[in-house]
Amino acid sequence: MASATPRSFIARLTEPYVHGVSMKGLKAATAVLPFKWPKTFEGDSPSVEMCRYIVEKGRHQSVLFISSKTPVRTGLIQPMVDVLEAGGIKVTVYDDVQPDPTVEQIEATVDVLRANQCDGVIALGGGSVIDAAKAVAARGKNPKRSIMDMTGMFRVMRGMLPLYAVPTTAGTGSEVTIAAVVTDTKGQRKLPMLDPRLMPRLAALDGSLMLGVPQHVTAATGMDALTHAVEAFISGNAMDRTDVLALEAVKLIMANLETAFEDGS
């Protein structure tokens, strides 16, 4: 007697079709959903200005500051922490985010969030840090839903705690997207979380944070940004407004990346 077809095989067989239908649904949704883009801070010391704005709004008593080892060790985050603490906000720093954050690491960070009763999250770092912060903030607002429950599209049911993002690379653009990627070590795969409620409230675009980074980082993140721009333009889900942004990004990168690589100042 022939054995039943394994479900995993069926899933793999139908995955391209399901993905195609899902992406068409996402394109239709983005045309009508009321996206609330983050308020952005630019100019002189925008990361500090963003923190002053957070203090002025008076919405938080305790925030979790998520980053990686280097910005904390070099004191890069300290001016921001000083402003927040001077404004009466307790700041808990978590600096152990690794590239391609795993579900287990995110859950460990959620434990820190809860232990310190944080009601907001600040992320300073590259795409991995901001993606991790999105997942942590989502878990903070959805205590009964696991990270795996929220992977896929439109599954972050209650949104996330207020998230404020400060990118230190120009590669991913996670500070202005509705997506995060988490790593499932058990399944040996990366899984996306796609939901308009994953959009940060504020984003500080602080070019000074990118000065003096190693050349290989400038090159890699620059090519990452270029790849995202090209993919956005040729995507079947592209729209007129995304085409404008994608083409402008390509022009800026092609005109400036080599200069930034040769002179990191």
Side-chain angles (χ1 to χ4, degrees):
M1 181 177 179
S3 60
T5 304
R7 290 188 63 185
S8 59
F9 173 75
I10 295 175
R12 288 197 300 271
L13 194 65
T14 58
E15 184 175 349
Y17 172 76
V18 172
H19 177 74
V21 171
S22 298
M23 293 308 294
K24 289 184 182 300
L26 180 61
K27 181 179 181 180
T30 55
V32 297
L33 285 174
F35 282 97
K36 190 171 183 179
W37 301 103
K39 177 180 175 65
T40 57
F41 293 78
E42 302 178 54
D44 294 333
S45 303
S47 53
V48 171
E49 287 302 315
M50 184 188 78
C51 291
R52 290 198 180 105
Y53 182 87
I54 293 170
V55 169
E56 289 170 4
K57 289 299 180 180
R59 294 172 179 166
H60 299 292
Q61 294 183 330
S62 176
V63 297
L64 181 62
F65 202 124
I66 299 177
S67 191
S68 53
K69 298 289 187 186
T70 299
V72 175
R73 186 181 67 248
T74 59
L76 199 62
I77 73 168
Q78 200 56 48
M80 300 175 65
V81 172
D82 289 345
V83 168
L84 294 167
E85 291 183 335
I89 299 175
K90 175 187 173 184
V91 180
T92 300
V93 176
Y94 182 88
D95 65 354
D96 201 27
V97 177
Q98 305 298 318
D100 303 319
T102 65
V103 172
E104 293 79 9
Q105 183 184 58
I106 290 165
E107 291 296 347
T109 314
V110 172
D111 290 341
V112 177
L113 177 96
R114 291 175 177 162
N116 291 276
Q117 299 181 315
C118 299
D119 53 17
V121 178
I122 298 175
L124 183 145
S128 290
V129 168
I130 298 175
D131 280 3
K134 288 181 178 181
V136 170
R139 280 284 285 121
K141 192 79 171 187
N142 296 267
K144 295 183 179 180
R145 292 178 65 79
S146 69
I147 291 297
M148 298 301 290
D149 288 336
M150 292 187 285
T151 58
M153 292 199 299
F154 309 115
R155 300 182 70 186
V156 185
M157 300 303 182
R158 298 181 61 195
M160 64 179 180
L161 295 175
L163 173 63
Y164 313 108
V166 185
T168 57
T169 68
T172 66
S174 185
E175 70 277 4
V176 289
T177 70
I178 63 170
V181 178
V182 298
T183 300
D184 171 22
T185 52
K186 293 180 180 178
Q188 296 185 329
R189 56 185 176 166
K190 289 186 178 182
L191 297 171
M193 299 168 63
L194 292 166
D195 196 300
R197 289 163 287 201
L198 290 176
M199 186 77 77
R201 297 274 185 94
L202 308 176
L205 307 180
D206 194 339
S208 68
L209 300 178
M210 303 179 198
L211 297 178
V213 301
Q215 284 186 320
H216 73 275
V217 175
T218 299
T221 55
M223 292 306 296
D224 191 17
L226 179 61
T227 301
H228 282 303
V230 173
E231 286 178 335
F233 185 73
I234 66 176
S235 169
N237 294 312
M239 294 177 283
D240 289 343
R241 64 175 181 264
T242 61
D243 282 348
V244 171
L245 295 172
L247 288 173
E248 182 64 17
V250 170
K251 291 177 183 177
L252 289 171
I253 294 166
M254 295 302 293
N256 296 284
L257 180 55
E258 187 175 356
T259 301
F261 176 81
E262 294 294 346
D263 182 3
S265 65

PDB file of all heavy atoms in Angstrom, residues 27 30-31 37 229 232-249:
ATOM      1  N   LYS A  27       0.243  43.587  -2.245  1.00  0.00           N
ATOM      2  CA  LYS A  27       0.242  44.774  -3.112  1.00  0.00           C
ATOM      3  C   LYS A  27      -1.115  45.464  -3.080  1.00  0.00           C
ATOM      4  O   LYS A  27      -1.201  46.692  -2.985  1.00  0.00           O
ATOM      5  CB  LYS A  27       0.595  44.379  -4.546  1.00  0.00           C
ATOM      6  CG  LYS A  27       0.630  45.584  -5.500  1.00  0.00           C
ATOM      7  CD  LYS A  27       1.009  45.184  -6.901  1.00  0.00           C
ATOM      8  CE  LYS A  27       1.060  46.409  -7.808  1.00  0.00           C
ATOM      9  NZ  LYS A  27       1.439  46.067  -9.199  1.00  0.00           N
ATOM     10  N   THR A  30      -1.455  47.286   0.280  1.00  0.00           N
ATOM     11  CA  THR A  30      -0.647  48.492   0.440  1.00  0.00           C
ATOM     12  C   THR A  30      -1.243  49.678  -0.314  1.00  0.00           C
ATOM     13  O   THR A  30      -0.968  50.827   0.010  1.00  0.00           O
ATOM     14  CB  THR A  30       0.795  48.263  -0.053  1.00  0.00           C
ATOM     15  OG1 THR A  30       0.770  47.794  -1.405  1.00  0.00           O
ATOM     16  CG2 THR A  30       1.514  47.254   0.816  1.00  0.00           C
ATOM     17  N   ALA A  31      -2.060  49.389  -1.319  1.00  0.00           N
ATOM     18  CA  ALA A  31      -2.673  50.473  -2.086  1.00  0.00           C
ATOM     19  C   ALA A  31      -3.795  51.158  -1.309  1.00  0.00           C
ATOM     20  O   ALA A  31      -4.148  52.303  -1.593  1.00  0.00           O
ATOM     21  CB  ALA A  31      -3.216  49.931  -3.407  1.00  0.00           C
ATOM     22  N   TRP A  37       3.753  56.592   8.164  1.00  0.00           N
ATOM     23  CA  TRP A  37       5.205  56.607   8.059  1.00  0.00           C
ATOM     24  C   TRP A  37       5.805  57.236   9.308  1.00  0.00           C
ATOM     25  O   TRP A  37       5.209  58.120   9.918  1.00  0.00           O
ATOM     26  CB  TRP A  37       5.635  57.385   6.810  1.00  0.00           C
ATOM     27  CG  TRP A  37       5.087  56.820   5.549  1.00  0.00           C
ATOM     28  CD1 TRP A  37       4.053  57.307   4.817  1.00  0.00           C
ATOM     29  CD2 TRP A  37       5.516  55.619   4.901  1.00  0.00           C
ATOM     30  NE1 TRP A  37       3.810  56.501   3.732  1.00  0.00           N
ATOM     31  CE2 TRP A  37       4.694  55.455   3.760  1.00  0.00           C
ATOM     32  CE3 TRP A  37       6.503  54.674   5.158  1.00  0.00           C
ATOM     33  CZ2 TRP A  37       4.830  54.384   2.884  1.00  0.00           C
ATOM     34  CZ3 TRP A  37       6.648  53.609   4.286  1.00  0.00           C
ATOM     35  CH2 TRP A  37       5.819  53.470   3.168  1.00  0.00           C
ATOM     36  N   ALA A 229      17.098  48.630  -3.859  1.00  0.00           N
ATOM     37  CA  ALA A 229      16.512  49.610  -4.773  1.00  0.00           C
ATOM     38  C   ALA A 229      16.178  48.977  -6.127  1.00  0.00           C
ATOM     39  O   ALA A 229      15.095  49.208  -6.682  1.00  0.00           O
ATOM     40  CB  ALA A 229      17.473  50.782  -4.959  1.00  0.00           C
ATOM     41  N   ALA A 232      13.237  46.620  -5.752  1.00  0.00           N
ATOM     42  CA  ALA A 232      11.987  47.365  -5.614  1.00  0.00           C
ATOM     43  C   ALA A 232      11.473  47.837  -6.967  1.00  0.00           C
ATOM     44  O   ALA A 232      10.265  47.830  -7.231  1.00  0.00           O
ATOM     45  CB  ALA A 232      12.190  48.562  -4.678  1.00  0.00           C
ATOM     46  N   PHE A 233      12.403  48.232  -7.842  1.00  0.00           N
ATOM     47  CA  PHE A 233      11.995  48.756  -9.159  1.00  0.00           C
ATOM     48  C   PHE A 233      11.477  47.656 -10.075  1.00  0.00           C
ATOM     49  O   PHE A 233      10.505  47.856 -10.809  1.00  0.00           O
ATOM     50  CB  PHE A 233      13.162  49.489  -9.811  1.00  0.00           C
ATOM     51  CG  PHE A 233      12.798  50.156 -11.107  1.00  0.00           C
ATOM     52  CD1 PHE A 233      12.014  51.297 -11.119  1.00  0.00           C
ATOM     53  CD2 PHE A 233      13.233  49.638 -12.322  1.00  0.00           C
ATOM     54  CE1 PHE A 233      11.654  51.919 -12.307  1.00  0.00           C
ATOM     55  CE2 PHE A 233      12.885  50.244 -13.517  1.00  0.00           C
ATOM     56  CZ  PHE A 233      12.089  51.391 -13.518  1.00  0.00           C
ATOM     57  N   ILE A 234      12.112  46.490 -10.051  1.00  0.00           N
ATOM     58  CA  ILE A 234      11.723  45.426 -10.976  1.00  0.00           C
ATOM     59  C   ILE A 234      10.664  44.499 -10.388  1.00  0.00           C
ATOM     60  O   ILE A 234      10.167  43.600 -11.075  1.00  0.00           O
ATOM     61  CB  ILE A 234      12.946  44.591 -11.421  1.00  0.00           C
ATOM     62  CG1 ILE A 234      13.545  43.821 -10.233  1.00  0.00           C
ATOM     63  CG2 ILE A 234      13.985  45.480 -12.091  1.00  0.00           C
ATOM     64  CD1 ILE A 234      14.694  42.907 -10.633  1.00  0.00           C
ATOM     65  N   SER A 235      10.294  44.703  -9.144  1.00  0.00           N
ATOM     66  CA  SER A 235       9.319  43.840  -8.496  1.00  0.00           C
ATOM     67  C   SER A 235       7.958  43.915  -9.178  1.00  0.00           C
ATOM     68  O   SER A 235       7.524  44.971  -9.641  1.00  0.00           O
ATOM     69  CB  SER A 235       9.161  44.248  -7.022  1.00  0.00           C
ATOM     70  OG  SER A 235       8.049  43.591  -6.438  1.00  0.00           O
ATOM     71  N   GLY A 236       7.284  42.780  -9.221  1.00  0.00           N
ATOM     72  CA  GLY A 236       5.922  42.753  -9.746  1.00  0.00           C
ATOM     73  C   GLY A 236       4.949  43.502  -8.862  1.00  0.00           C
ATOM     74  O   GLY A 236       3.812  43.784  -9.265  1.00  0.00           O
ATOM     75  N   ASN A 237       5.378  43.825  -7.642  1.00  0.00           N
ATOM     76  CA  ASN A 237       4.521  44.556  -6.709  1.00  0.00           C
ATOM     77  C   ASN A 237       4.846  46.046  -6.667  1.00  0.00           C
ATOM     78  O   ASN A 237       4.341  46.765  -5.809  1.00  0.00           O
ATOM     79  CB  ASN A 237       4.673  43.972  -5.298  1.00  0.00           C
ATOM     80  CG  ASN A 237       4.152  42.549  -5.226  1.00  0.00           C
ATOM     81  OD1 ASN A 237       3.056  42.270  -5.686  1.00  0.00           O
ATOM     82  ND2 ASN A 237       4.944  41.653  -4.681  1.00  0.00           N
ATOM     83  N   ALA A 238       5.710  46.489  -7.592  1.00  0.00           N
ATOM     84  CA  ALA A 238       6.101  47.902  -7.604  1.00  0.00           C
ATOM     85  C   ALA A 238       4.913  48.796  -7.943  1.00  0.00           C
ATOM     86  O   ALA A 238       3.987  48.397  -8.654  1.00  0.00           O
ATOM     87  CB  ALA A 238       7.231  48.118  -8.610  1.00  0.00           C
ATOM     88  N   MET A 239       4.954  50.016  -7.394  1.00  0.00           N
ATOM     89  CA  MET A 239       3.940  51.018  -7.689  1.00  0.00           C
ATOM     90  C   MET A 239       4.649  52.303  -8.124  1.00  0.00           C
ATOM     91  O   MET A 239       5.862  52.418  -7.971  1.00  0.00           O
ATOM     92  CB  MET A 239       3.074  51.274  -6.455  1.00  0.00           C
ATOM     93  CG  MET A 239       2.237  50.064  -6.046  1.00  0.00           C
ATOM     94  SD  MET A 239       1.292  50.344  -4.525  1.00  0.00           S
ATOM     95  CE  MET A 239       2.587  50.179  -3.302  1.00  0.00           C
ATOM     96  N   ASP A 240       3.892  53.241  -8.641  1.00  0.00           N
ATOM     97  CA  ASP A 240       4.497  54.483  -9.140  1.00  0.00           C
ATOM     98  C   ASP A 240       5.326  55.161  -8.056  1.00  0.00           C
ATOM     99  O   ASP A 240       6.439  55.624  -8.311  1.00  0.00           O
ATOM    100  CB  ASP A 240       3.413  55.441  -9.647  1.00  0.00           C
ATOM    101  CG  ASP A 240       2.774  54.960 -10.949  1.00  0.00           C
ATOM    102  OD1 ASP A 240       3.379  54.085 -11.602  1.00  0.00           O
ATOM    103  OD2 ASP A 240       1.692  55.449 -11.303  1.00  0.00           O
ATOM    104  N   ARG A 241       4.789  55.230  -6.846  1.00  0.00           N
ATOM    105  CA  ARG A 241       5.508  55.950  -5.791  1.00  0.00           C
ATOM    106  C   ARG A 241       6.760  55.206  -5.348  1.00  0.00           C
ATOM    107  O   ARG A 241       7.749  55.833  -4.969  1.00  0.00           O
ATOM    108  CB  ARG A 241       4.588  56.225  -4.603  1.00  0.00           C
ATOM    109  CG  ARG A 241       4.055  55.008  -3.860  1.00  0.00           C
ATOM    110  CD  ARG A 241       3.270  55.485  -2.635  1.00  0.00           C
ATOM    111  NE  ARG A 241       2.733  54.387  -1.843  1.00  0.00           N
ATOM    112  CZ  ARG A 241       1.507  53.919  -1.944  1.00  0.00           C
ATOM    113  NH1 ARG A 241       0.687  54.458  -2.827  1.00  0.00           N
ATOM    114  NH2 ARG A 241       1.079  52.929  -1.183  1.00  0.00           N
ATOM    115  N   THR A 242       6.751  53.869  -5.434  1.00  0.00           N
ATOM    116  CA  THR A 242       7.965  53.129  -5.066  1.00  0.00           C
ATOM    117  C   THR A 242       9.002  53.209  -6.181  1.00  0.00           C
ATOM    118  O   THR A 242      10.205  53.210  -5.915  1.00  0.00           O
ATOM    119  CB  THR A 242       7.647  51.660  -4.744  1.00  0.00           C
ATOM    120  OG1 THR A 242       7.072  51.014  -5.892  1.00  0.00           O
ATOM    121  CG2 THR A 242       6.685  51.554  -3.579  1.00  0.00           C
ATOM    122  N   ASP A 243       8.541  53.301  -7.432  1.00  0.00           N
ATOM    123  CA  ASP A 243       9.483  53.443  -8.553  1.00  0.00           C
ATOM    124  C   ASP A 243      10.286  54.738  -8.431  1.00  0.00           C
ATOM    125  O   ASP A 243      11.496  54.765  -8.673  1.00  0.00           O
ATOM    126  CB  ASP A 243       8.728  53.441  -9.888  1.00  0.00           C
ATOM    127  CG  ASP A 243       8.307  52.042 -10.314  1.00  0.00           C
ATOM    128  OD1 ASP A 243       8.793  51.062  -9.696  1.00  0.00           O
ATOM    129  OD2 ASP A 243       7.497  51.927 -11.251  1.00  0.00           O
ATOM    130  N   VAL A 244       9.620  55.816  -8.056  1.00  0.00           N
ATOM    131  CA  VAL A 244      10.297  57.106  -7.896  1.00  0.00           C
ATOM    132  C   VAL A 244      11.401  57.003  -6.847  1.00  0.00           C
ATOM    133  O   VAL A 244      12.540  57.447  -7.053  1.00  0.00           O
ATOM    134  CB  VAL A 244       9.292  58.210  -7.518  1.00  0.00           C
ATOM    135  CG1 VAL A 244      10.018  59.503  -7.135  1.00  0.00           C
ATOM    136  CG2 VAL A 244       8.326  58.466  -8.664  1.00  0.00           C
ATOM    137  N   LEU A 245      11.065  56.400  -5.715  1.00  0.00           N
ATOM    138  CA  LEU A 245      12.038  56.266  -4.630  1.00  0.00           C
ATOM    139  C   LEU A 245      13.176  55.328  -5.018  1.00  0.00           C
ATOM    140  O   LEU A 245      14.351  55.586  -4.707  1.00  0.00           O
ATOM    141  CB  LEU A 245      11.342  55.751  -3.372  1.00  0.00           C
ATOM    142  CG  LEU A 245      10.289  56.691  -2.761  1.00  0.00           C
ATOM    143  CD1 LEU A 245       9.535  55.994  -1.636  1.00  0.00           C
ATOM    144  CD2 LEU A 245      10.939  57.966  -2.247  1.00  0.00           C
ATOM    145  N   ALA A 246      12.848  54.232  -5.688  1.00  0.00           N
ATOM    146  CA  ALA A 246      13.866  53.261  -6.077  1.00  0.00           C
ATOM    147  C   ALA A 246      14.873  53.874  -7.049  1.00  0.00           C
ATOM    148  O   ALA A 246      16.087  53.693  -6.904  1.00  0.00           O
ATOM    149  CB  ALA A 246      13.206  52.029  -6.702  1.00  0.00           C
ATOM    150  N   LEU A 247      14.383  54.594  -8.046  1.00  0.00           N
ATOM    151  CA  LEU A 247      15.280  55.203  -9.030  1.00  0.00           C
ATOM    152  C   LEU A 247      16.164  56.273  -8.389  1.00  0.00           C
ATOM    153  O   LEU A 247      17.358  56.376  -8.700  1.00  0.00           O
ATOM    154  CB  LEU A 247      14.462  55.813 -10.169  1.00  0.00           C
ATOM    155  CG  LEU A 247      13.795  54.811 -11.119  1.00  0.00           C
ATOM    156  CD1 LEU A 247      12.882  55.527 -12.101  1.00  0.00           C
ATOM    157  CD2 LEU A 247      14.845  53.990 -11.869  1.00  0.00           C
ATOM    158  N   GLU A 248      15.603  57.060  -7.489  1.00  0.00           N
ATOM    159  CA  GLU A 248      16.399  58.087  -6.813  1.00  0.00           C
ATOM    160  C   GLU A 248      17.480  57.437  -5.951  1.00  0.00           C
ATOM    161  O   GLU A 248      18.612  57.933  -5.878  1.00  0.00           O
ATOM    162  CB  GLU A 248      15.490  58.973  -5.958  1.00  0.00           C
ATOM    163  CG  GLU A 248      16.211  60.108  -5.246  1.00  0.00           C
ATOM    164  CD  GLU A 248      16.826  61.115  -6.202  1.00  0.00           C
ATOM    165  OE1 GLU A 248      16.447  61.141  -7.396  1.00  0.00           O
ATOM    166  OE2 GLU A 248      17.696  61.898  -5.757  1.00  0.00           O
ATOM    167  N   ALA A 249      17.127  56.321  -5.289  1.00  0.00           N
ATOM    168  CA  ALA A 249      18.111  55.620  -4.468  1.00  0.00           C
ATOM    169  C   ALA A 249      19.266  55.102  -5.313  1.00  0.00           C
ATOM    170  O   ALA A 249      20.443  55.230  -4.943  1.00  0.00           O
ATOM    171  CB  ALA A 249      17.438  54.461  -3.723  1.00  0.00           C
TER     172      ALA A 249
END
